[in-house]
Amino acid sequence: MRRFILLAALFILGGCAVGISLAPPPNLYRTGANYPDDLVPEVWRTAEPKIFYMTNRQPDGASYGASRSDSMAFGAATVKFGRDLGWEELLERTRADSDQRVSTLWVPELEEVVRFEATPLPYARNDGRLTHLQTSLDAYNAQAARFQAVIADEIRQTGNRSLLVYVHGFNSEFEDSLTTLANMWHFAGRESVPISFTWPAGNGFGPLGYFRDRDAGVFSVHHTKEFLRMLADMPEVDSIDIIAHSRGTDVVTTALRELMIEARGAGVHPKEMLKTGTLIMAAPDLDVGIVRQRLQAERFSEAFEQVNLYINPDDAALRISALLTRSTRLGALRNEDFAEGELELLRDQALVHFIRVENVRGGFGHSYFRENPAVLSDVVLALRTRTFPGGSLRPLDQDEDGIWVLHPNYPLERLPDLVGLEARAARREER
């Protein structure tokens, strides 16, 4: 039996990284309506968009591998939807229930724009305090300014003052982080500047690779904090939405928690300092007990407009993670795993939403966030409408315990007219 479990772990945990194709259209778009192509900035009307990245992976030839780097690199990559696809053809495959699919998303080229100083920056003791050496600090700040200038220029070109940050999970290659973000960003209507934070995952096969990736995630917390701090410091940025998957949820929530402690220590509301909007955690590979003590107990959710957690009790990858770590995983919670009164407390706060995905197929029930038409529909609605579940713009149902239920054909006949809403909002802003 033990041998069978180990073989299953090797198979499932080794299978988290897969080639990325454009997912089937979200149910939201299958009538041919609701995709906001008229609102997409001219520079983004292309099947070969530019996707930004920040990484602490070591360079590996023309790309980046799974080894750690003490210095971050910022750059821009071209992501192609298919081989010879134009914008109009991509739109046809986006908003219609067609058998035509984009075979693959791929990265034909990328350019590293900024290479940061290695951390930790050197420091010395002066009058009982440790301070960074001025030459290194000046160089690092200049590099941060160059990074911010590129993002600010993209904001000026597009008029979009919001950012969409993606943080991948275990065993993900560099290119997969870019193509997954391109997939999500495209379906979300290309309404924000897309930036992938890609940490050095992919450190081998099976359980040993899993634990190596866990350590690589811990190693990446400081760089994640620096990345988010630089974005929040930009006056051009209004809000930062974050999508994190699997082990990436640990990387980003740990970084955000530490930044929230800094904000509170400075007497600033965390949301005001971090400019955080919607946080989406898909299949979060997090220890439930640690979440309760390090996030829930410390009022983590107050830094966001809302937190959406997509869970699947039949997630095979998280079952293996629970077996290896001997702890219940957040993304595989069942109703009976919640403490007495816990769901009522979360409902009263009205910021944290548990969303159970029904009838998940394929990908070991773990990668549904980027390929399931119902999940994609709700992610899109959360990002585009900024509304909570249960209203006319996100018509989710609740079970008897208060967990939101995402049916395979969501949003059914309750399809909202998003394009009309956004066009009216745009006209109001112009006036």
Side-chain angles (χ1 to χ4, degrees), residues 305-327:
E305 294 173 11
Q306 60 174 305
V307 179
N308 296 291
L309 297 104
Y310 293 92
I311 60 176
N312 171 23
D314 297 320
D315 189 320
L318 292 184
R319 284 208 300 271
I320 297 299
S321 175
L323 176 69
L324 294 174
T325 61
R326 295 186 177 182
S327 65

Side-chain angles (χ1 to χ4, degrees), residues 186-208:
H186 172 69
F187 282 132
R190 304 191 177 203
E191 296 183 339
S192 52
V193 177
I195 315 174
S196 173
F197 183 85
T198 171
W199 51 281
N203 289 279
F205 187 71
L208 288 178

Side-chain angles (χ1 to χ4, degrees), residues 39 48 68 96 136 184 234 262 283 289-290 348 391 394 396 418:
L39 300 178
E48 303 178 25
R68 305 175 187 181
S136 297
M184 305 292 291
M234 294 178 59
E262 288 182 21
I290 292 174
D348 291 341
R394 285 183 70 191
L396 288 161
L418 290 191

Side-chain angles (χ1 to χ4, degrees), residues 82-101:
R83 293 285 168 176
D84 299 302
L85 208 62
W87 171 240
E88 291 301 326
E89 189 177 3
L90 176 58
L91 285 179
E92 289 177 13
R93 301 187 188 192
T94 297
R95 56 189 180 197
D97 192 4
S98 165
D99 290 333
Q100 289 184 308
R101 295 283 180 260

Side-chain angles (χ1 to χ4, degrees), residues 137-431:
L137 186 60
D138 288 345
Y140 188 83
N141 288 339
Q143 292 149 3
R146 289 210 305 276
F147 156 61
Q148 292 168 327
V150 173
I151 300 301
D153 184 60
E154 190 76 3
I155 290 172
R156 281 190 292 271
Q157 288 187 60
T158 63
N160 292 68
R161 297 174 63 89
S162 62
L163 310 178
L164 180 61
V165 169
Y166 171 62
V167 185
H168 61 77
F170 158 77
N171 202 26
S172 293
E173 296 180 358
F174 172 77
E175 286 79 6
D176 287 346
S177 72
L178 298 174
T179 54
T180 297
L181 173 56
N183 196 24
M184 305 292 291
W185 172 74
H186 172 69
F187 282 132
R190 304 191 177 203
E191 296 183 339
S192 52
V193 177
I195 315 174
S196 173
F197 183 85
T198 171
W199 51 281
N203 289 279
F205 187 71
L208 288 178
Y210 176 76
F211 286 113
R212 289 172 186 145
D213 274 10
R214 279 170 61 98
D215 281 352
V218 175
F219 166 83
S220 301
V221 168
H222 174 72
H223 289 142
T224 308
K225 287 168 56 180
E226 290 295 284
F227 165 65
L228 293 173
R229 184 185 285 113
M230 290 176 203
L231 293 177
D233 283 346
M234 294 178 59
E236 298 86 354
V237 171
D238 283 345
S239 66
I240 303 170
D241 296 321
I242 301 171
I243 300 175
H245 178 234
S246 189
R247 286 304 304 166
T249 59
D250 184 54
V251 177
V252 78
T253 55
T254 303
L256 286 165
R257 172 183 173 273
E258 293 182 9
L259 288 170
M260 290 172 63
I261 292 171
E262 288 182 21
R264 287 171 177 152
V268 180
H269 193 286
K271 190 178 186 314
E272 180 182 339
M273 187 184 91
L274 299 174
K275 299 183 179 177
T276 33
T278 295
L279 174 62
I280 292 171
M281 296 201 287
D285 186 5
L286 295 170
D287 181 309
V288 171
I290 292 174
V291 168
R292 287 189 176 116
Q293 299 304 322
R294 288 173 62 85
L295 300 183
Q296 189 175 345
E298 297 189 26
R299 311 186 316 279
F300 178 81
S301 61
E302 76 171 0
F304 304 93
E305 294 173 11
Q306 60 174 305
V307 179
N308 296 291
L309 297 104
Y310 293 92
I311 60 176
N312 171 23
D314 297 320
D315 189 320
L318 292 184
R319 284 208 300 271
I320 297 299
S321 175
L323 176 69
L324 294 174
T325 61
R326 295 186 177 182
S327 65
T328 304
R329 312 315 285 175
L330 187 65
L333 279 175
R334 301 178 185 276
N335 288 36
E336 57 267 26
D337 293 324
F338 289 91
E340 185 177 353
E342 189 171 19
L343 284 169
E344 290 82 355
L345 175 63
L346 292 172
R347 270 203 306 276
D348 291 341
Q349 293 174 353
L351 291 175
V352 180
H353 314 296
F354 281 90
I355 304 165
R356 187 175 66 242
V357 184
E358 301 280 89
N359 300 327
V360 176
R361 299 172 187 234
F364 308 107
H366 191 60
S367 57
Y368 52 81
F369 78 106
R370 65 186 176 208
E371 59 195 28
N372 182 295
V375 179
L376 282 169
S377 294
D378 195 57
V379 170
V380 168
L381 289 171
L383 293 174
R384 287 178 59 186
T385 70
R386 326 303 296 181
T387 55
F388 291 174
S392 60
L393 293 179
R394 285 183 70 191
L396 288 161
D397 298 317
Q398 272 184 315
D399 68 11
E400 64 279 3
D401 293 320
I403 294 176
W404 298 103
V405 181
L406 190 56
H407 301 295
N409 50 358
Y410 171 86
L412 304 169
E413 69 281 354
R414 296 174 287 181
L415 193 69
D417 175 18
L418 290 191
V419 171
L421 285 170
E422 289 169 334
R424 289 194 292 273
R427 286 195 294 272
R428 282 198 300 270
E429 288 181 7
E430 288 173 2
R431 289 198 296 267

